[in-house]
């Protein structure tokens, strides 16, 4: 664990450094995950210092390895390694391939779990049972293991096997229907994948809480995390409001959580928007320039902020200087250098370094599986299909 | 291990916004004892509903100017962690900043939450608006011909609080390993910007312009459909990410004749070039069905389609209510029972939500005044 860096709390103007963080050094995470929500849990733990081993199947690859090809992709382009979301969710991990439908594949998987502190999975509930690897059985065999099962609806109930993507989950959670204009027009926020990111950081919190608990009890546990439920807690205040007022909450437009209106002011020349707390009168013929209005508001202590585009954020010096986006080279030349977002925490002044892009599928088979079998045995397992 | 993963840990919440309050709620839900300090500014900042929801199960102590010494000696001295969203300048002037506390209590961990961070200074007011505006989030939400939209109910602050809870747990783990308190700082604008980057990764890959596109995700994420669609009695979320799911969706619609044309099997082409055309083809069928009918069909055909629900409808959802025992009950001082979302996770040791509900019940003397219970008999502050 590194020494404490110069704190930036109370040190206005101080810049964080980008570097290795080893707070979770010695923690080993094994995951069988796909998409974003659960893989991102592992990625965060990895950047805090854990070793994260992603167990993959070549027969059923991570959805972020199975993308619609782009017309511009040259022949032979390694699309299954290139999708940027794959890297956002899996940077810095090690990938091994195992065919869990084979006896030898399962044996190696159990070896991995035997050395793990945390196991994260997010396939359709019941998949482990079908392999003869029930959660109950795993807990009995590995009592110190912390198992996180993330799913749309949770591990129980009639909808548990229903397919779901992020906006479907936030829709069912009551969140999307709250997002819209003051006139009641529902818009939702389909492009934010809020249910996924919300699940990821709920998962980080739960894994870390379980690790804290294990420090005291020496016991693992199984955490059944529902993405819909996790999204629903974001609307908790609306639940209270509904029951106290009797009215069904709907879209409220741009406003403070307490109800104070925000004004959105568009610059007619640049067509850019700025938000300000409080209601402002509409533009009159002799009104000052937009910039002057905003300056006056700021001067009076009103919260005012430009509505930045994602491109402006990506190019913003403040973000760049604190390591928000990091450049990492992909080992495959055809893919080149990728921009990966950092974990947005600074730990004793250090923003975790993105140590590597997402691993190529199966690229850590020799190193990781070689801990349990010899090189010859590994070749034999490859031939018999246990590593597919 | 029981549900109280963090049993025995004491966390002090020094906050005025939903960020620290939500962090405290998450930590309370994982079993930590949480004491929230409440001054007049916190009461002014957070609605009674917010405090009722987020303070359930915590101890809420009235905090006045002049109480700081008692807070330090009788509370923080016994704590494992502090989570705060107060301005850095104020924390420093009151001796509640990391340096001061770390010097005095070296095993205490500390998580500081800020809207914009520290290196950009704290010029002027900055809160929910600044976080959502400066992160790129608002630019992505809303109708292209209308003003950008924010997420309601302080959801930006809630995400900052969620990160704060994870950071507290991480700091406590590392502190136990090293016998040293740990420091984590998180800014809300970084959190939200990192969320925007996730869809940005999709958009960049497919060269999709990143701008709000109404109820549809820009460019449908490179594969149609991806968004919310009007139906007979509201909206449904409808997303397919594979050819199989698209085929199932078409089967759910009775395999309309238009769907046999190659033009409507090129999901990338539809997403990038003519989504409105296909929206128009699907719209009449959707308008014939209610949200519940569509959900039933979606389950039958295994298609990711689901209703956009109101919170009232969510509270009646059988999956959540009966099978998952998801909801908790908060009891007000007037004896009114309020059903709220509970913990979004279960462990094998959890018995039932009814049993858990009792443990989180609180009473209030009125919506504006959460209950107070003593920290210790010797505490001189009003608690």
């Amino acid at each position: 664990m590194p020494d404490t860096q110069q704190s930036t709390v109370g040190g206005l103007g101080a810049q964080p450094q980008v570097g290795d963080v080893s707070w979770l050094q010695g923690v080993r995470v094994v995951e069988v995950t796909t998409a974003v929500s659960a893989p991102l849990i592992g990625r965060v733990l990895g950047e805090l210092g854990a070793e994260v081993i992603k167990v993959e199947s070549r027969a059923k690859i991570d959805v972020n390895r199975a993308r619609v090809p782009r017309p511009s992709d040259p022949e032979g382009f390694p699309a299954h390694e290139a999708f940027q979301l794959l890297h956002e969710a899996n940077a810095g991990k090690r990938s091994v391939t195992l065919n869990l439908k084979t006896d030898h594949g399962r044996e190696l998987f159990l070896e991995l779990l035997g050395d793990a502190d945390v196991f994260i999975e997010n396939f359709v509930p019941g998949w482990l049972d079908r392999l003869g690897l029930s959660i109950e059985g795993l807990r009995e065999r590995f009592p110190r293991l912390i198992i996180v099962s993330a799913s749309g609806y949770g591990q129980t109930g009639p909808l548990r096997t229903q397919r779901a993507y992020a906006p479907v989950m936030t829709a069912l959670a009551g969140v999307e229907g709250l997002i819209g204009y003051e006139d009641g027009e529902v818009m939702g926020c389909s492009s934010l994948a809020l249910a996924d990111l919300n699940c990821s950081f709920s998962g980080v919190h739960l894994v870390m809480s379980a690790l804290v608990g294990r420090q005291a009890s020496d016991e693992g546990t199984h955490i059944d995390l529902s993405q819909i439920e996790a999204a629903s807690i974001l609307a908790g205040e609306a639940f209270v409001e509904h029951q106290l007022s009797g009215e069904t909450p709907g879209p409220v437009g741009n406003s403070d959580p307490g109800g104070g209106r925000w004004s959105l002011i568009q610059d007619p020349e640049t067509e850019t928007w700025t938000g300000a707390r409080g209601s402002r009168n509409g533009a009159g013929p002799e009104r000052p320039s937009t910039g002057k209005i905003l300056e006056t508001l700021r001067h009076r202590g009103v919260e005012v902020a430009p509505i930045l585009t994602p491109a402006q954020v990506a190019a913003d010096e403040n973000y760049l200087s604190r390591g928000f986006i990091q450049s990492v080279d992909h080992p495959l030349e055809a893919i080149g250098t990728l921009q990966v977002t950092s974990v947005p925490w600074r730990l004793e002044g250090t923003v975790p370094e993105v140590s590597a892009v997402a691993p190529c599928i199966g690229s850590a088979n020799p190193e990781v599986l070689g801990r349990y079998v010899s090189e010859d045995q590994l070749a034999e397992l490859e031939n018999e299909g246990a590593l597919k | 291990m029981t549900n109280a993963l963090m049993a025995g840990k004491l966390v002090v919440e020094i906050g005025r916004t939903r960020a620290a309050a939500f962090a405290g709620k998450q930590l309370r839900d994982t079993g930590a004892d949480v004491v929230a300090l409440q001054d007049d500014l916190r009461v002014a900042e957070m609605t009674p509903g917010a405090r009722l929801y987020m303070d359930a199960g915590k101890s809420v102590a009235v905090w006045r100017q002049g109480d700081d010494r008692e807070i330090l000696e009788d509370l923080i001295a016994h704590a494992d962690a502090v989570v705060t969203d107060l301005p850095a300048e104020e924390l420093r002037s009151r001796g509640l900043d990391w340096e001061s506390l770390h010097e005095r209590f070296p095993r205490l961990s500390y998580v500081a939450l800020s809207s914009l961070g520290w290196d950009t200074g704290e010029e002027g007011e900055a809160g929910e608006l600044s976080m959502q505006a400066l992160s790129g989030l608002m630019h992505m939400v809303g109708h292209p011909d209308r003003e950008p939209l924010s997420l309601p109910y302080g959801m930006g602050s809630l995400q900052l609080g969620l990160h704060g809870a994870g950071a507290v747990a991480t700091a406590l783990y590392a502190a136990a390993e090293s016998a040293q308190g740990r420091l984590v700082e998180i800014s809300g604008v970084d959190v939200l910007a990192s969320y925007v980057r996730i869809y940005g990764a999709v958009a960049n890959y497919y060269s999709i312009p990143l701008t709000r596109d109404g109820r549809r995700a820009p460019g449908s994420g490179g594969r149609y459909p991806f968004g919310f669609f009007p139906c007979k009695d509201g909206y449904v979320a409808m997303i397919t990410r594979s050819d199989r799911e698209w085929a199932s969706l078409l089967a759910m619609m009775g395999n309309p004749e238009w769907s046999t044309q190659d033009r409507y099997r090129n999901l990338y082409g539809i997403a990038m070039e003519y989504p409105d055309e296909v929206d128009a083809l699907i719209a009449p069928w959707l308008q014939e069905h209610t949200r519940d009918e569509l959900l039933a069909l979606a389950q039958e055909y295994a298609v990711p389609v689901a209703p956009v629900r109101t919170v009232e409808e969510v509270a009646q959802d059988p999956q959540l209510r009966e099978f998952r025992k998801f909801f908790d009950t908060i009891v007000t001082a007037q004896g009114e029972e309020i059903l709220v979302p509970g913990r979004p996770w279960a462990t094998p040791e959890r018995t039932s939500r009814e049993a858990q509900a009792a443990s989180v019940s609180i009473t209030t003397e009125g919506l504006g005044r959460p209950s107070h219970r003593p920290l210790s008999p010797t505490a001189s502050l009003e608690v």
Side-chain angles (χ1 to χ4, degrees):
Chain A
M1 201 169 289
D3 290 339
T4 301
Q5 303 294 327
Q6 178 70 38
S7 166
T8 57
V9 173
L12 300 182
Q15 289 289 336
Q17 62 177 28
V18 176
D20 284 338
V21 173
S22 53
W23 287 24
L24 300 189
Q25 193 168 45
V27 172
R28 185 170 288 170
V29 179
V30 170
E31 63 171 62
V32 182
T33 61
T34 185
V36 173
S37 57
L40 191 53
I41 302 172
R43 187 194 150 197
V44 173
L45 299 175
E47 292 195 9
L48 299 178
E51 181 190 46
V52 184
I53 299 166
K54 183 177 177 78
V55 177
E56 303 194 69
S57 157
R58 291 186 191 277
K60 190 171 185 181
I61 55 176
D62 188 317
V63 295
N64 285 323
R65 294 190 187 277
R67 301 302 302 182
V68 177
R70 296 171 295 187
S72 57
D73 288 343
E75 196 171 330
F77 182 74
H80 63 291
E81 302 290 357
F83 188 42
Q84 205 168 325
L85 207 47
L86 176 75
H87 300 284
E88 291 286 349
N90 294 286
K93 297 177 188 175
R94 291 170 186 179
S95 167
V96 300
T97 49
L98 288 175
N99 181 350
L100 297 179
K101 291 180 179 171
T102 67
D103 289 343
H104 287 142
R106 282 194 300 277
E107 283 169 18
L108 272 174
F109 180 59
L110 291 170
E111 294 274 13
L112 284 170
L113 291 184
D115 285 340
D117 301 282
V118 179
F119 170 44
I120 303 168
E121 60 92 8
N122 75 330
F123 279 85
V124 178
W127 74 277
L128 281 165
D129 294 324
R130 288 192 291 279
L131 293 170
L133 299 169
S134 69
I135 295 288
E136 295 74 20
L138 293 178
R139 289 202 65 218
E140 199 171 318
R141 185 165 180 159
F142 308 114
R144 296 185 76 250
L145 186 65
I146 291 159
I147 304 172
V148 176
S149 298
S151 61
Y153 296 79
Q155 301 292 308
T156 53
L159 295 183
R160 70 192 194 111
T161 57
Q162 184 71 10
R163 293 187 70 83
Y165 295 109
V168 166
M169 295 183 264
T170 31
L172 284 168
V175 170
E176 299 290 355
L178 298 171
I179 300 168
Y181 292 100
E182 197 181 357
D183 58 15
E185 187 177 10
V186 171
M187 281 286 119
C189 62
S190 56
S191 63
L192 291 182
L194 191 57
D196 283 342
L197 282 298
N198 184 63
C199 170
S200 303
F201 285 93
S202 295
V204 170
H205 171 224
L206 291 170
V207 167
M208 292 314 307
S209 296
L211 282 169
V212 168
R214 198 181 71 169
Q215 285 173 324
S217 68
D218 207 35
E219 290 176 24
T221 191
H222 174 224
I223 294 167
D224 162 11
L225 172 60
S226 156
Q227 285 193 246
I228 292 172
E229 293 170 16
S232 187
I233 66 172
L234 301 177
E237 205 173 327
F239 278 80
V240 175
E241 187 181 301
H242 162 61
Q243 289 164 82
L244 292 180
S245 71
E247 294 175 10
T248 300
V252 292
N254 289 307
S255 62
D256 284 327
R261 303 297 310 159
W262 297 353
S263 299
L264 273 287
I265 303 161
Q266 190 177 31
D267 186 308
E269 288 179 14
T270 63
E271 296 189 344
T272 56
W273 292 89
T274 299
R277 284 181 84 174
S279 295
R280 310 287 155 208
N281 293 330
E286 64 289 335
R287 66 160 225 190
S289 70
T290 306
K292 181 71 181 167
I293 294 171
L294 300 177
E295 188 185 323
T296 304
L297 291 174
R298 276 196 196 94
H299 185 68
R300 291 182 180 170
V302 174
E303 183 180 353
V304 176
I307 313 295
L308 297 186
T309 67
Q312 287 173 312
V313 170
D316 186 291
E317 194 51 44
N318 284 322
Y319 281 99
L320 295 174
S321 65
R322 54 186 187 245
F324 176 70
I325 298 169
Q326 299 177 34
S327 296
V328 193
D329 291 332
H330 197 284
L332 299 177
E333 199 175 326
I335 296 174
T337 301
L338 295 169
Q339 309 291 311
V340 182
T341 313
S342 66
V343 173
W345 297 6
R346 56 184 75 175
L347 301 99
E348 292 169 351
T350 299
V351 172
E353 182 168 25
V354 183
S355 59
V357 294
C360 293
I361 187 167
S363 56
N365 281 358
E367 179 203 343
V368 173
L369 300 181
R371 296 170 187 167
Y372 309 102
V373 291
S374 68
E375 200 173 321
D376 289 345
Q377 286 171 315
L378 204 58
E380 200 174 314
L381 289 168
E382 181 79 74
N383 287 335
E384 70 183 41
L387 307 185
K388 276 188 179 171
Chain B
M1 191 186 294
T2 69
N3 292 314
L5 307 174
M6 300 262 275
K9 299 297 182 188
L10 175 60
V11 179
V12 179
E13 174 195 317
I14 308 177
R16 296 206 182 102
T17 78
R18 285 163 178 76
F22 198 64
K25 173 181 164 49
Q26 299 296 313
L27 293 162
R28 175 62 200 142
D29 285 351
T30 44
D33 285 332
V34 178
V35 179
L37 303 185
Q38 176 151 278
D39 62 8
D40 291 344
L41 291 171
R42 186 179 191 265
V43 173
E45 179 68 28
M46 289 176 53
T47 61
R51 281 181 279 122
L52 196 59
Y53 174 57
M54 287 186 242
D55 288 346
K58 298 176 187 172
S59 300
V60 179
V62 171
W63 185 32
R64 293 172 303 214
Q65 290 282 347
D67 287 342
D68 292 358
R69 203 182 74 183
E70 287 80 3
I71 290 290
L72 277 171
E73 292 176 358
D74 295 337
L75 179 59
I76 294 177
H78 305 292
D80 298 287
V82 163
V83 59
T84 181
D85 60 19
L86 261 57
E89 284 289 355
E90 180 179 350
L91 290 165
R92 189 164 45 232
S93 69
R94 299 178 76 161
L96 296 171
D97 58 308
W98 158 252
E99 284 85 355
S100 302
L101 294 183
H102 186 58
E103 187 178 351
R104 191 161 176 183
F105 311 115
R107 287 177 178 249
L108 179 76
S109 290
Y110 193 97
V111 172
L113 308 175
S114 154
S115 297
L116 300 186
W118 297 266
D119 40 294
T120 53
E122 292 182 346
E123 295 170 9
E125 291 286 316
E128 188 72 26
L129 165 64
S130 298
M131 278 190 274
Q132 295 203 28
L134 293 169
S135 62
L137 186 151
M138 286 181 71
H139 182 78
M140 296 295 293
V141 183
H143 193 281
D145 297 331
R146 300 186 68 177
E147 65 185 38
L149 262 179
S150 58
L151 305 187
Y153 292 99
M155 287 187 196
S157 297
L158 301 190
Q159 288 305 312
L160 175 57
L162 177 62
H163 282 245
V168 168
T170 304
L172 288 177
Y173 175 82
E177 295 290 307
S178 64
Q180 276 285 317
R182 316 302 300 197
L183 165 69
V184 185
E185 299 155 279
I186 309 173
S187 78
V189 73
D190 284 356
V191 167
L192 297 185
S194 74
Y195 286 19
V196 175
R197 287 275 301 172
I198 289 294
Y199 192 82
V202 180
N204 289 343
Y205 191 77
Y206 289 114
S207 302
I208 297 169
L210 267 178
T211 188
R212 60 190 175 281
D213 197 10
R215 285 181 280 271
R216 179 193 301 143
S220 300
R223 189 192 286 262
Y224 184 89
F226 189 145
F228 305 106
F229 294 76
C231 65
K232 193 173 183 178
D233 64 345
Y235 296 92
V236 287
M238 191 160 70
I239 297 160
T240 68
R241 296 290 91 187
S242 67
D243 291 340
R244 187 198 66 73
E245 288 173 351
W246 175 243
S248 298
L249 176 62
L250 293 175
M252 183 171 126
M253 291 191 286
N255 288 313
E257 195 174 331
W258 56 263
S259 68
T260 59
Q261 297 176 40
D262 286 347
R263 180 173 177 78
Y264 304 119
R265 295 194 176 274
N266 176 4
L267 302 182
Y268 179 76
I270 300 172
M272 304 300 288
E273 294 171 27
Y274 43 96
D276 292 342
E277 178 184 323
V278 184
D279 282 0
L281 290 168
I282 291 175
W285 183 82
L286 287 173
Q287 288 296 339
E288 289 171 4
H289 296 83
T290 65
R291 291 172 300 153
D292 284 343
E293 288 168 355
L294 290 166
L295 179 62
L297 282 169
Q299 288 169 32
E300 184 184 341
Y301 285 86
V303 182
V305 173
V308 173
R309 285 201 162 132
T310 65
V311 293
E312 186 177 10
E313 291 165 341
V314 175
Q316 300 304 320
D317 184 307
Q319 168 79 13
L320 297 174
R321 191 167 184 140
E322 292 157 27
F323 293 96
R324 299 285 296 170
K325 311 290 185 194
F326 171 52
F327 295 101
D328 288 341
T329 304
I330 295 173
V331 184
T332 69
Q334 294 74 29
E336 195 170 3
E337 293 190 352
I338 298 175
L339 200 69
V340 294
R343 288 187 324 230
W345 50 278
T347 66
E349 292 79 4
R350 185 171 81 181
T351 50
S352 74
R353 282 291 167 184
E354 282 82 357
Q356 204 230 354
S359 71
V360 302
S361 293
I362 62 167
T363 54
T364 58
E365 295 167 0
L367 282 176
R369 293 177 294 162
S371 64
H372 306 142
R373 77 179 163 85
L375 298 171
S376 75
T378 56
S380 58
L381 62 162
E382 181 187 337
V383 292

